């Protein structure tokens, strides 16, 4: 991540147009043997490098702390605000089945149609050719319109979308905290609203054996935020009072709050993996364990 943000000879104002060729992405992982190819690829190295750089960037920092907000960050938030507004304009429809409201397809069709235009508002004119390629990741990041489901693969597409914006120089190294705290956090809010409004199914969920029905990255970055916290330990996140008092500062606790809003019954039963994590002695151990688990998943 850092390496392609410090391009030789670039200054803040004018980045020379890089000689980059853009193409519409297509699915490349089709069978089990392709996974090995993916893990050896530059794309995998870039993606994991991006996740881990941001993990370091937010270490010990609160969501509410001060950080630089650049123009591209503002534009990304505006893009997400547009998606949010479209949810308000597309109410759920009456239908017999409780889950997977078909109004999601109407909402998605709008994104499908407008995605390139939305991306074009974020990237500078000399990079306009990148919009069709980058837009595919945005479209993939909000769930599947056929199955009306959402899962960590969709979340990964959004992280890849942000990683692409770094690779073409739209986002820079000093945007790190804003990428997580402003853009990704806003993305999570919009996804939670989608999940609630259209009663989306979890995609590829391992049920009680998974970390969470819908997200993974905010648990990684959120546990990094809590490293060396003077009094919040992993055992505290199952305490409702602690969550209510601190969730605005920490992504991890925002996730816990959402789970408790959506699920009933004992926490240990509906979120067994997280319950187990609450027994880990330190946040840095939680963070390392989650990174290992993410790579495996």
């Amino acid at each position: 991540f850092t390496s392609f943000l410090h391009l030789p000879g670039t200054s803040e104002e004018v980045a020379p147009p890089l000689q980059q060729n853009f193409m519409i992405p297509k699915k490349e992982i089709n069978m089990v043997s392709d996974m090995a190819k993916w893990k050896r690829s530059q794309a995998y190295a870039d993606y994991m490098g991006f996740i881990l750089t941001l993990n370091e960037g937010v270490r010990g920092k609160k969501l509410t702390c001060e950080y630089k907000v650049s123009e591209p960050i503002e534009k990304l938030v505006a893009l997400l605000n547009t998606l949010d507004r479209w949810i308000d304009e597309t109410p759920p429809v009456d239908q017999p089945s409780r889950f997977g409201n078909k109004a999601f397809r109407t909402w998605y069709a709008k994104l499908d149609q407008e995605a390139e235009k939305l991306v074009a508002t974020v990237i500078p004119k000399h990079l306009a050719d990148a919009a069709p390629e980058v837009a595919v990741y945005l479209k993939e990041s909000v769930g599947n319109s056929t199955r009306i489901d959402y899962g960590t693969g969709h979340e990964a597409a959004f992280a890849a979308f942000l990683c692409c914006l770094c690779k073409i120089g739209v986002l820079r190294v000093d945007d790190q905290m804003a990428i997580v705290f402003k853009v990704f956090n806003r993305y999570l809010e919009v996804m939670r609203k989608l999940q609630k409004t259209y009663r989306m199914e979890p995609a590829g969920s391992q049920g009680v054996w998974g970390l969470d029905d819908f997200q993974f990255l905010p648990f990684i970055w959120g546990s990094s935020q809590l490293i060396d916290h003077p009094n919040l330990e992993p055992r505290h996140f199952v305490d409702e009072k602690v969550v209510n008092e601190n969730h605005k500062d920490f992504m991890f606790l925002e996730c816990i709050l959402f789970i408790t809003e959506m699920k009933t019954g004992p926490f240990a039963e509906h979120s067994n993996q997280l319950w187990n994590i609450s027994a880990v002695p330190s946040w840095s151990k939680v963070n390392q364990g989650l990174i290992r688990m993410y790579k495996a998943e």
Side-chain angles (χ1 to χ4, degrees):
F1 177 51
T2 319
S3 60
F4 49 71
L5 280 161
H6 289 309
L7 304 163
T10 61
S11 73
E12 266 301 303
E13 301 77 56
V14 289
L18 300 172
Q19 285 312 300
Q20 285 175 309
N21 295 316
F22 301 105
M23 54 181 277
I24 301 294
K26 63 183 204 296
K27 189 173 163 65
E28 294 282 5
I29 303 172
N30 298 301
M31 44 213 262
V32 176
S33 58
D34 293 335
M35 282 304 288
K37 204 162 68 180
W38 153 242
K39 290 206 110 162
R40 285 194 306 269
S41 69
Q42 185 59 46
Y44 179 84
D46 284 348
Y47 180 81
M48 280 319 299
F50 179 69
I51 301 299
L52 296 174
T53 300
L54 294 174
N55 188 57
E56 284 309 302
V58 301
R59 188 184 174 127
K61 308 273 200 315
K62 292 180 176 183
L63 284 167
T64 48
C65 74
E66 293 277 313
Y67 49 83
K68 172 183 175 262
V69 179
S70 64
E71 197 181 344
I73 294 285
E74 295 283 17
K75 288 174 175 172
L76 281 165
V77 173
L79 181 157
L80 291 164
N81 291 342
T82 300
L83 301 190
D84 190 325
R85 192 182 75 243
W86 291 347
I87 302 174
D88 297 333
E89 292 166 7
T90 318
V93 294
D94 277 341
Q95 61 175 46
S97 64
R98 218 172 108 218
F99 286 92
N101 195 283
K102 291 181 177 59
F104 175 73
R105 292 180 183 149
T106 310
W107 179 89
Y108 184 85
K110 194 161 174 102
L111 173 62
D112 194 38
Q113 206 183 334
E114 303 284 330
E116 278 185 41
K117 271 190 219 143
L118 287 172
V119 170
T121 64
V122 179
I123 59 182
K125 292 278 183 286
H126 72 271
L127 288 168
D129 290 355
E133 178 170 340
V134 178
V136 172
Y137 293 100
L138 178 65
K139 288 192 280 194
E140 288 285 323
S141 74
V142 296
N144 181 290
S145 68
T146 309
R147 297 188 303 268
I148 315 181
D149 65 7
Y150 175 93
T152 50
H154 300 111
E155 177 190 78
F158 191 75
F161 166 68
L162 296 173
C163 186
C164 291
L165 293 175
C166 291
K167 290 205 69 155
I168 60 175
V170 172
L171 297 172
R172 293 165 181 268
V173 78
D174 54 357
D175 288 318
Q176 279 181 65
M177 282 168 68
I179 289 171
V180 180
F181 291 170
K182 214 165 172 65
V183 180
F184 195 82
N185 202 47
R186 184 72 186 107
Y187 165 75
L188 287 175
E189 289 169 1
V190 178
M191 292 308 104
R192 287 176 187 136
K193 187 165 169 177
L194 278 180
Q195 290 151 19
K196 258 185 176 160
T197 306
Y198 304 121
R199 307 287 305 249
M200 296 177 81
E201 300 272 8
S205 162
Q206 290 136 337
V208 76
W209 304 114
L211 188 66
D212 175 77
D213 281 342
F214 297 114
Q215 313 297 157
F216 202 122
L217 291 172
F219 291 96
I220 295 179
W221 295 331
S223 59
S224 181
Q225 282 185 280
L226 285 154
I227 290 172
D228 297 332
H229 192 285
N231 43 20
L232 288 180
E233 294 168 35
R235 65 190 171 91
H236 290 122
F237 77 73
V238 291
D239 179 338
E240 206 179 325
K241 185 170 178 289
V242 172
V243 172
N244 288 334
E245 286 171 6
N246 297 282
H247 71 92
K248 287 189 169 65
D249 284 324
F250 301 104
M251 219 167 220
F252 195 101
L253 302 182
E254 284 280 17
C255 290
I256 301 296
L257 186 69
F258 185 66
I259 292 170
T260 54
E261 277 174 17
M262 299 295 277
K263 299 197 168 187
T264 52
F267 192 89
E269 284 174 27
H270 62 62
S271 303
N272 192 258
Q273 283 283 45
L274 282 166
W275 179 259
N276 292 338
I277 285 170
S278 72
V280 174
S282 73
W283 285 111
S284 63
K285 283 267 189 297
V286 169
N287 187 246
Q288 288 159 15
L290 288 173
I291 290 165
R292 277 198 306 276
M293 190 173 163
Y294 188 67
K295 287 178 174 173
E297 192 171 293

